C-alpha cells in the first residue's frame, strides 16, 4: 500500500489554505473558489477513471446540482451556503444513483459517449424549458452562512472561498483514504482485468456504479459552488464544452495524486485568466499551448512530478537493503 500524508496533516493543510485566504487579494478569492469547484468535479472524474472509465458528461450532474439548488433557493428562500452544497450533492447523487447501474455495464468509448449523450439530452431539455428560463437561465440571491448575511463583497467572497476550500479539501482527504482502501485497490483491479475481479467474487459493475455515484455527488456539489459564485445559472452548465473543461483538469492532474487535481485546476484557471487579460484575442491559443505542453512533457499528469520522485527514493532505499540481504551468509 502506498503511504502518504496522515489525514490529520491533511486537515492541517486545509485549515492553513483556508486561513491564507485572509491574506490573498480580493480578485484571487473568486478565482480560487472556481478552481476549488472545478477541482472537486475533476476529483470525481479521477475516482471514476481508476476503474478504467472516463465520463465526458459530468456537466449533467454539475447542472443537476446547480439547478436543484437554484430552484429550492428561489422557492423556499434557502440561502445557507453549507445547506446548498448538501442539496447540490444530493441532487447529483440521486441522478447518479439512477444512471450508474444502467451505464456500468458499458466500458471504454461507449461509456464516455453515453455520458456525453445524456448530458446533451439534459442540455436540450433545459434550453427548451421556459419554466427554467430557457437558454437565458435565471438569477439567485447572495448566499449566507449559518444565518449571517455578508454585505461586504470581500467578506462574501472569503466566506465562499472558505466553504469551497474546506469542502473540497475534505473531499480530497476522503478520496485519499478511498484510494488506499481495499475498495480503491479493487477499483484499480477492475481497470486492469474486470473478469478476474469477478472470479474473486466481487461485482465489477457494482464497483463501477459506486465510483460513478461518488463522481456524481462531487459534481453536484461543484455545481452548487459554481451557482453561488456566479449567482446565475443557465443550460451552459450541462453543455459538452463545460464537461470537457473538467476532463482537461483530470487529464492534467493524472490519477496518481489527489493533490495534483487541485494544483492542475488552479494552474488552468491562472493561465486562462492571465491569457484572457493580456492576450484577449488569442487566449484560447495560449491555453491550448499550455495544455499541449503539459501533456507532452508530463504524459502521466502533474502528479507524476512528485509521485515518481517518491517512487525513485523508495527504490533507491530498497536496493541497498536487498543487496545486503543477498550477500548475507
Amino acid at each position: 500500500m502506498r503511504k502518504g500524508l496522515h489525514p490529520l496533516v491533511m486537515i492541517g493543510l486545509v485549515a492553513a489554505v483556508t486561513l491564507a485566504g485572509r491574506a490573498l487579494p480580493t480578485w484571487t478569492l473568486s478565482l480560487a473558489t472556481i478552481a476549488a469547484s472545478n477541482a472537486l468535479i475533476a476529483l470525481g472524474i479521477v475516482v471514476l477513471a481508476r476503474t478504467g472509465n472516463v465520463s465526458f458528461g459530468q456537466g449533467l450532474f454539475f447542472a443537476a446540482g446547480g439547478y436543484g439548488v437554484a430552484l429550492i433557493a428561489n422557492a423556499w428562500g434557502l440561502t445557507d451556503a453549507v445547506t446548498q452544497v448538501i442539496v447540490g450533492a444530493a441532487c447529483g447523487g440521486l441522478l447518479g444513483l439512477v444512471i450508474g447501474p444502467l451505464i456500468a455495464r458499458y466500458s471504454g468509448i461507449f461509456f464516455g459517449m453515453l455520458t456525453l449523450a445524456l448530458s446533451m439530452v439534459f442540455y436540450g431539455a433545459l434550453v427548451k424549458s421556459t419554466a427554467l428560463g430557457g437558454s437565458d437561465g435565471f438569477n439567485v440571491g447572495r448566499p449566507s452562512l449559518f444565518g449571517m448575511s455578508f454585505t461586504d463583497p470581500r467578506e462574501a467572497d472569503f466566506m465562499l472561498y472558505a466553504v469551497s476550500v474546506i469542502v473540497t479539501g475534505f473531499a480530497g482527504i476522503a478520496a485519499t483514504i478511498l484510494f488506499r482502501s481495499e475498495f480503491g485497490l479493487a477499483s484499480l483491479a477492475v481497470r486492469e482485468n474486470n473478469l478476474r475481479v469477478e472470479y474473486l467474487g466481487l461485482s465489477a459493475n457494482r464497483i463501477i456504479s459506486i465510483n460513478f455515484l461518488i463522481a456524481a455527488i462531487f459534481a453536484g456539489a461543484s455545481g452548487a459552488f459554481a451557482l453561488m459564485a456566479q449567482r446565475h445559472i443557465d443550460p451552459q452548465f450541462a453543455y459538452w464544452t463545460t464537461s470537457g473543461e473538467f476532463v482537461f483538469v483530470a487529464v492534467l492532474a493524472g490519477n496518481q495524486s489527489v493533490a495534483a487535481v487541485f494544483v492542475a485546476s488552479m494552474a488552468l484557471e491562472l493561465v486562462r485568466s492571465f491569457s484572457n487579460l493580456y492576450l484577449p484575442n488569442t487566449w484560447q491559443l495560449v491555453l491550448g499551448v499550455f495544455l499541449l505542453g503539459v501533456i507532452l512533457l508530463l504524459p502521466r499528469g502533474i502528479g507524476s512530478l512528485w509521485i515518481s520522485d517518491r517512487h525513485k527514493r523508495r527504490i533507491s532505499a530498497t536496493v541497498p537493503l536487498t543487496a545486503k540481504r543477498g550477500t548475507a551468509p
Side-chain angles (χ1 to χ4, degrees):
M1 181 182 296
R2 180 182 295 166
K3 294 182 178 180
L5 293 176
H6 192 277
L8 291 178
V9 177
M10 297 183 203
I11 293 174
L13 288 174
V14 172
V17 174
T18 304
L19 294 176
R22 282 295 182 189
L24 292 176
T26 303
W27 66 270
T28 59
L29 292 178
S30 298
L31 190 70
T33 301
I34 295 296
S37 170
N38 291 345
L40 183 58
I41 190 169
L43 181 61
I45 294 175
V46 171
V47 170
L48 183 60
R50 288 169 66 86
T51 65
N53 297 295
V54 177
S55 171
F56 296 139
Q58 286 304 94
L60 169 66
F61 309 104
F62 184 68
Y67 270 95
V69 171
L71 290 173
I72 292 176
N74 285 348
W76 298 343
L78 180 66
T79 59
D80 185 75
V82 175
T83 308
Q84 288 189 348
V85 173
I86 295 173
V87 170
C91 291
L94 286 174
L95 202 56
L97 196 62
V98 174
I99 297 175
L102 301 176
I103 205 171
R105 66 187 68 178
Y106 300 96
S107 62
I109 190 64
F110 300 103
F111 184 94
M113 295 310 292
L114 273 174
T115 56
L116 178 61
L118 290 172
S119 175
M120 290 308 295
V121 168
F122 192 54
Y123 169 80
L126 292 173
V127 169
K128 297 296 182 184
S129 175
T130 55
L132 298 178
S135 59
D136 294 329
F138 58 95
N139 297 328
V140 295
R142 189 188 295 274
S144 60
L145 184 65
F146 304 135
M148 296 182 290
S149 299
F150 299 88
T151 54
D152 184 3
R154 176 172 173 80
E155 290 300 315
D157 289 345
F158 175 73
M159 181 274 292
L160 196 54
Y161 163 84
V163 174
S164 63
V165 168
I166 291 172
V167 171
T168 307
F170 275 92
I173 294 172
T176 303
I177 296 173
L178 178 72
F179 291 170
R180 298 172 184 171
S181 68
E182 292 182 0
F183 180 82
L185 298 176
S187 300
L188 289 177
V190 170
R191 183 183 66 184
E192 299 300 326
N193 194 322
N194 58 354
L195 191 59
R196 291 185 178 180
V197 172
E198 296 282 352
Y199 285 153
L200 291 174
L202 301 174
S203 171
N205 285 351
R206 183 176 300 171
I207 292 173
I208 295 173
S209 298
I210 294 174
N211 281 279
F212 191 86
L213 175 62
I214 294 171
I217 291 173
F218 285 179
S222 177
F225 279 125
L227 171 72
M228 288 187 285
Q230 301 175 11
R231 283 182 284 161
H232 177 81
I233 190 164
D234 57 53
Q236 195 70 23
F237 273 51
Y239 200 54
W240 69 271
T241 53
T242 305
S243 300
E245 290 185 12
F246 304 141
V247 175
F248 273 138
V249 175
V251 169
L252 289 178
N255 62 356
Q256 303 180 71
S257 169
V258 171
V261 179
F262 303 99
V263 175
S265 181
M266 193 65 197
L268 191 64
E269 286 301 317
L270 286 173
V271 171
R272 188 210 310 268
S273 298
F274 280 102
S275 59
N276 195 17
L277 178 64
Y278 294 107
L279 301 167
N281 296 324
T282 58
W283 70 271
Q284 295 96 335
L285 177 64
V286 175
L287 192 61
V289 170
F290 171 73
L291 293 173
L292 279 176
V294 173
I295 292 171
L296 290 175
L297 298 175
L298 300 170
R300 299 177 65 189
I302 292 176
S304 63
L305 282 174
W306 54 86
I307 293 295
S308 59
D309 290 343
R310 189 189 307 169
H311 183 63
K312 289 177 182 176
R313 286 199 298 271
R314 189 177 298 125
I315 291 177
S316 61
T318 306
V319 168
L321 181 62
T322 306
K324 186 177 180 181
R325 286 175 180 171
T327 56

